[in-house]
Amino acid sequence: MTEPPKRTLFAADGLAAPLRHAVFRRIWVASLLSNLGLMIQSVGAAWAMTQMTASADKVALVQTALMLPIMLISMPAGAIADMYDRRIIAVISLSIALTGATALAVLSWLGAVTPEILLAFCFVVGSGNALFGPSWQASVSEQVPIETLPSAVALNGISYNIARSFGPAIGGIIVAAAGAVAAFVANAVLYVPLLVVLVLWRRINEPSRLPPEQLRRAIISGVRYISNSPPVRIVLARTLVTGIAGGSISALMPLVTRDLLHGGAQTYGIMLGAFGMGAVIGALNIGEVRKRFSGETSIRACALIMGVAIAVVAVSHEPVITAAALVVAGSVWMLAVALFNIGVQLSAPRWVAGRSLAAFQASIAGGIAIGSW
């Protein structure tokens, strides 16, 4: 009697299967470095702002300047991703972000940064990343076979959450050792590997069967498709609600740390790391969850568990209990967002994939912004 073949992470349906494909593997590693750079810059920018002003509003605006472009230009960015070569769009958008990061580093080194200049260049970096997002996400299906697409989406989520788990700590060490300017330099340097990998990628550009679109008409047709596609429309609405619920966690964590846990900066960092680590755990298990449960069952379970975890965070005065609840909240948050992302990727036809993913990106960013407020 023969034994059944052992399943591994690199099996055809394993989480790590997309990493067998060289293009995806190179882009994934480079994007991990880029995400780390962005988190390091966020720490440096927030610290630099606290050094320049005592205004809590301006300190909070640093995060707004990085996130607001996602809401403002996601749909045009998605239309551009569908109209032109996605590799070229990704290179251009990363060049914009790199230019903003480099200029911020130089001006900071010269001592010429003001609160307004800092916010302006954070907005430039955020705009480059917002333009990059739809092209990058829509091109994932061109880097791996369709059967490994869910795993590829999960791996991209893991990349971001690894950066979110360790990036702030690395940024804090860099800022403490060499100042905010070193954080800005690190971000600029860490953009370079992803830019190089994309430049070297020989993407196979399949000619469109549809006539070329103008940008305005492309945006309108994308909105029309989404509004007339119940599956995509429902996913986007649920994504918005999930973002609102999840945004409250990160926005209020400093107050939870100070007022409920009576801790300091170290406790705050541990709590953020707990949420990020939970997100990594959730992404690692996305394949198993999809096999065992239907999408509807998974989403409902994630919503209920997240509600319970947030309630525990709200009433707990013990750091261990709060950290455990944050691990759970981060895990189901990542599972829900990944399932929504996969739903959009599998539902939208290729001609409107970039715009659909841009709408998804805007929904999650808008939900986080509303939830944070």
Side-chain angles (χ1 to χ4, degrees):
M1 184 176 178
T2 59
E3 294 184 2
K6 293 182 179 180
R7 293 176 56 198
T8 67
L9 283 175
F10 289 93
D13 58 349
L15 177 65
L19 295 174
R20 294 186 301 176
H21 304 276
V23 171
F24 178 84
R25 183 171 64 250
R26 294 181 193 126
I27 293 176
W28 187 85
V29 172
S31 67
L32 173 60
L33 296 176
S34 177
N35 287 331
L36 278 171
L38 190 60
M39 296 299 163
I40 291 170
Q41 177 185 288
S42 296
V43 174
W47 180 253
M49 188 65 84
T50 61
Q51 298 296 101
M52 291 186 287
T53 178
S55 170
D57 290 340
K58 286 189 175 180
V59 174
L61 281 174
V62 171
Q63 187 65 27
T64 301
L66 289 168
M67 293 292 292
L68 186 61
I70 299 177
M71 289 186 64
L72 296 180
I73 69 173
S74 278
M75 188 54 71
I80 291 171
D82 287 329
M83 292 168 62
Y84 303 104
D85 188 314
R86 288 167 183 152
R87 183 187 68 87
I88 294 176
I89 298 303
V91 169
I92 292 173
S93 59
L94 283 176
S95 299
I96 294 171
L98 176 60
T99 300
T102 303
L104 183 57
V106 171
L107 289 174
S108 180
W109 180 65
L110 295 174
V113 172
T114 65
E116 291 73 21
I117 289 176
L118 178 61
L119 291 175
F121 280 106
C122 283
F123 188 86
V124 171
V125 173
S127 297
N129 286 317
L131 182 61
F132 172 73
S135 296
W136 172 55
Q137 292 191 57
S139 67
V140 171
S141 61
E142 301 171 13
Q143 301 164 22
V144 298
I146 190 67
E147 63 269 16
T148 62
L149 180 60
S151 296
V153 172
L155 282 171
N156 284 336
I158 290 174
S159 169
Y160 177 76
N161 283 289
I162 288 174
R164 188 165 64 174
S165 298
F166 301 105
I170 296 172
I173 294 172
I174 292 175
V175 171
V181 61
F184 301 148
V185 171
N187 182 41
V189 170
L190 290 173
Y191 271 120
V192 175
L194 184 55
L195 195 58
V196 171
V197 168
L198 289 172
V199 168
L200 296 177
W201 176 26
R202 294 295 175 256
R203 174 178 179 256
I204 300 175
N205 190 12
E206 297 181 2
S208 175
R209 299 177 182 178
L210 300 173
E213 295 180 280
Q214 295 180 342
L215 180 60
R216 178 174 172 274
R217 290 182 63 85
I219 294 173
I220 292 173
S221 64
V223 172
R224 185 180 296 121
Y225 168 79
I226 291 168
S227 62
N228 287 283
S229 174
V232 174
R233 194 170 65 240
I234 291 171
V235 167
L236 294 182
R238 287 177 153 188
T239 301
L240 179 68
V241 173
T242 302
I244 291 173
S248 64
I249 297 178
S250 56
L252 297 177
M253 193 48 56
L255 299 181
V256 169
T257 302
R258 187 190 69 186
D259 299 338
L260 296 181
L261 304 180
H262 306 292
Q266 184 177 10
T267 303
Y268 175 53
I270 292 172
M271 295 303 123
L272 287 178
F275 187 85
M277 191 60 64
V280 173
I281 293 171
L284 287 171
N285 288 280
I286 183 68
E288 196 65 28
V289 170
R290 292 182 77 243
K291 288 175 185 173
R292 291 179 177 271
F293 308 101
S294 68
E296 187 64 29
T297 300
S298 300
I299 291 299
R300 290 180 180 180
C302 287
L304 290 172
I305 295 171
M306 182 180 290
V308 173
I310 291 175
V312 172
V313 172
V315 300
S316 170
H317 293 271
E318 296 294 331
V320 173
I321 296 176
T322 301
L326 286 170
V327 170
V328 173
S331 179
V332 293
W333 156 269
M334 184 63 227
L335 279 170
V337 172
L339 287 168
F340 290 141
N341 191 321
I342 292 167
V344 172
Q345 296 243 23
L346 296 179
S347 299
R350 297 311 307 158
W351 68 272
V352 77
R355 281 162 283 188
S356 298
L357 287 166
F360 168 80
Q361 194 177 51
S363 294
I364 193 67
I368 292 173
I370 295 169
S372 298
W373 175 70

